[in-house]
Amino acid sequence: MIRRASLVLVGALMGATAMGVVYSATIPAVAANSSTYRELAIFGDVFERVRAQYVTPPQDDKLIENAINGMLSSLDPHSSYMNSTDAEDMRTQTRGEFGGLGIEVTMEDDLVKVTSPIDDTPAARAGVLAGDFISKIDGQDVRGLKLEEAVDKMRGAVGTPIKLTILRKGAEKPIELTIVRDVIAVRAVKYRTEGDVGYLRVISFTEKTFDDLKKGIEKVKADVPADKLKGYVLDLRLNPGGLLDQAINVSDAFLERGEVVSTRGRNPDETRRFNATPGDLTDGKPVIVLVNGGSASASEIVAGALQDLKRATVLGTRSFGKGSVQTIIPLGDAGALRLTTALYYTPSGKSIQGTGISPDIKVEQPLPPELLGKVEAQGESDLRGHIKGQSEDDEGSGSVAYVPPEAKDDIQLNYALDLLRGKKTDPTFPANPEQAELKK
């Protein structure tokens, strides 16, 4: 049932404004006219003037990189230049594994706090515990570092050692640990059973996502007898996106037929369509998809496909609204160019660029008192210079992106569970694929 499509990314792997990507070695060149070359000559003159006369000697490579980024940022928020380091980071993210320690962390009181060590990783084997605070990394104080900077310092080549200074509640003095980095496989899907309901949370769309999802569905089936299983919750909240082929495969896991998504570029012959194949891994059980303002791009493809094909009921708040696709053009040792080349469309032919996915059932998740006034709704339509969507209006896209850490406080999740168990009813649930208007 699952085909392996070409490597395509739609989404942002590190944030809500993720970049959709298609890997491509070459693209057709378009000849420039004489006025273009005159403008390039002006650029060359300015470059030489800056190099020769700026008050302090600038770095040539930085000047050129910033000039390229200036050109690309004038197009839209998702086109950019990636130097060799950035390009490798992106490849690492899409693989879903990296050299590191195996801990999930956050920042608290200017220190790195371990929220959870990952089972069977160097950190877990060394005795790192949830709740530990990392105060120093290789002797350098963590205070003053951003979380991303601290994470970068803890990642590194497999087999290399790192020294952590840990503050632990109840310990009389700091704990010094030397840990050897290993390959860390990041779970793209987390799953569990909520009594008689299967819960599948897709964190991002990496090369591991479909395989993780399949394992999750198999585990739910093993834990809950078919006659007792009420259905599934597919949680796409706070999911910034990722690989297009994985978004297609995740959608296909719940579908028997129908178009999943299409991408349309500058020229009509660049249109591509991706269709589902027979074989619903969930055996037709009811599905509820959760979305919020943190659901972007690839996650919107899945939500849009299951909604349009009436395979699932979408619940939550309006999604981010990123409906563009970026092509990654390798530039050898110089890095890569990320360029917006197409928009994607849901099975009904709708572009969600600047509008997002509107849930079938709108359920707001209140913010806790400590976050009131600190978290605002944001979407693609709020980004300066974004491509205006064909259906975009003043309402725009996006909503507040917040999910409570505890399931008992998660109003959206509990609403979905009540629907699946028959405690609540709604005309849009359960969705009926037979009522979908499929394209011929």
Side-chain angles (χ1 to χ4, degrees):
M1 60 161 283
I2 299 299
R3 108 273 313 130
R4 296 295 174 185
S6 59
L7 184 59
V8 176
L9 295 163
V10 280
L13 290 171
M14 294 301 290
T17 58
M19 313 303 172
V21 185
V22 177
Y23 275 85
S24 173
T26 59
I27 55 174
V30 179
N33 58 37
S34 58
S35 64
T36 301
Y37 288 112
R38 285 196 297 271
E39 296 295 332
L40 286 173
I42 294 173
F43 170 80
D45 184 39
V46 171
F47 176 69
E48 290 301 331
R49 292 282 184 177
V50 172
R51 291 183 68 235
Q53 297 179 350
Y54 188 67
V55 61
T56 56
Q59 292 180 253
D60 289 0
D61 58 342
K62 290 296 182 184
L63 284 177
I64 294 172
E65 184 175 328
N66 289 332
I68 294 172
N69 269 321
M71 173 177 62
L72 294 170
S73 65
S74 70
L75 300 175
D76 69 270
H78 305 300
S79 295
S80 66
Y81 167 72
M82 295 181 289
N83 58 34
S84 56
T85 301
D86 294 336
E88 179 57 33
D89 285 347
M90 186 199 67
R91 286 189 287 269
T92 297
Q93 293 173 44
T94 60
R95 286 195 299 268
E97 59 183 36
F98 56 88
L101 308 180
I103 50 177
E104 296 179 356
V105 296
T106 186
M107 210 76 178
E108 186 175 308
D109 297 329
D110 293 327
L111 297 176
V112 175
K113 182 180 181 180
V114 179
T115 57
S116 175
I118 301 172
D119 291 341
D120 197 29
T121 61
R125 291 191 290 268
V128 177
L129 303 177
D132 283 349
F133 287 89
I134 299 172
S135 61
K136 292 182 180 181
I137 301 173
D138 282 332
Q140 180 182 350
D141 201 320
V142 167
R143 295 182 189 276
L145 294 179
K146 296 179 180 178
L147 180 60
E148 294 81 3
E149 294 171 329
V151 169
D152 285 343
K153 288 183 177 296
M154 288 187 283
R155 290 185 178 180
V158 172
T160 58
I162 182 173
K163 184 178 180 181
L164 300 183
T165 302
I166 290 176
L167 306 179
R168 180 176 294 166
K169 186 177 181 180
E172 296 180 355
K173 59 181 181 179
I175 300 169
E176 304 284 351
L177 293 176
T178 298
I179 307 174
V180 177
R181 297 178 177 93
D182 201 350
V183 175
I184 307 300
V186 181
R187 285 176 62 186
V189 180
K190 292 185 177 181
Y191 44 84
R192 64 178 186 266
T193 54
E194 288 280 348
D196 51 4
V197 174
Y199 175 80
L200 308 165
R201 180 189 169 208
V202 182
I203 301 166
S204 62
F205 290 87
T206 71
E207 294 175 9
K208 300 178 179 296
T209 301
F210 173 72
D211 290 338
D212 282 0
L213 179 78
K214 186 177 179 182
K215 290 176 185 175
I217 294 173
E218 291 172 348
K219 183 68 167 61
V220 170
K221 287 182 175 180
D223 290 347
V224 185
D227 60 337
K228 302 293 185 183
L229 184 60
K230 301 296 187 183
Y232 294 83
V233 173
L234 181 64
D235 193 347
L236 301 177
R237 295 173 300 175
L238 305 183
N239 183 318
L243 291 165
L244 175 59
D245 74 325
Q246 293 293 314
I248 295 167
N249 289 347
V250 167
S251 302
D252 199 356
F254 299 91
L255 296 169
E256 290 285 356
R257 64 189 186 278
E259 181 180 295
V260 174
V261 67
S262 63
T263 61
R264 307 177 196 177
R266 179 170 170 175
N267 302 310
D269 59 0
E270 295 173 349
T271 298
R272 302 177 67 193
R273 300 185 185 279
F274 302 90
N275 297 310
T277 53
D280 179 350
L281 298 185
T282 59
D283 302 321
K285 291 287 186 180
V287 178
I288 294 179
V289 176
L290 301 182
V291 297
N292 66 7
S295 307
S297 215
S299 56
E300 293 175 289
I301 287 176
V302 176
L306 298 185
Q307 182 183 56
D308 280 5
L309 298 176
K310 297 193 182 300
R311 178 61 187 90
T313 300
V314 178
L315 185 152
T317 55
R318 188 183 293 268
S319 64
F320 190 82
K322 181 186 174 295
S324 61
V325 179
Q326 285 69 41
T327 298
I328 292 295
I329 305 166
L331 302 175
D333 294 338
L337 170 64
R338 176 166 43 202
L339 188 67
T340 299
T341 56
L343 296 176
Y344 69 77
Y345 293 78
T346 68
S348 64
K350 178 180 65 178
S351 167
I352 58 90
Q353 173 67 14
T355 59
I357 298 292
S358 297
D360 299 305
I361 305 173
K362 184 177 181 180
V363 178
E364 300 275 1
Q365 178 66 54
L367 291 171
E370 63 270 20
L371 292 181
L372 289 175
K374 298 179 181 179
V375 178
E376 296 181 354
Q378 188 177 28
E380 176 79 8
S381 59
D382 297 311
L383 299 181
R384 183 177 180 182
H386 76 281
I387 298 173
K388 189 173 178 63
Q390 65 179 25
S391 302
E392 185 177 340
D393 55 24
D394 293 340
E395 186 177 355
S397 63
S399 60
V400 171
Y402 172 71
V403 177
E406 300 292 336
K408 63 181 177 61
D409 302 320
D410 193 335
I411 291 175
Q412 293 168 333
L413 171 59
N414 284 292
Y415 199 108
L417 295 176
D418 284 347
L419 281 170
L420 287 163
R421 291 168 180 156
K423 295 180 181 180
K424 284 184 168 64
T425 60
D426 190 274
T428 64
F429 178 82
N432 183 359
E434 298 301 322
Q435 296 176 354
E437 297 180 6
L438 302 179
K439 290 186 176 181
K440 302 297 184 184

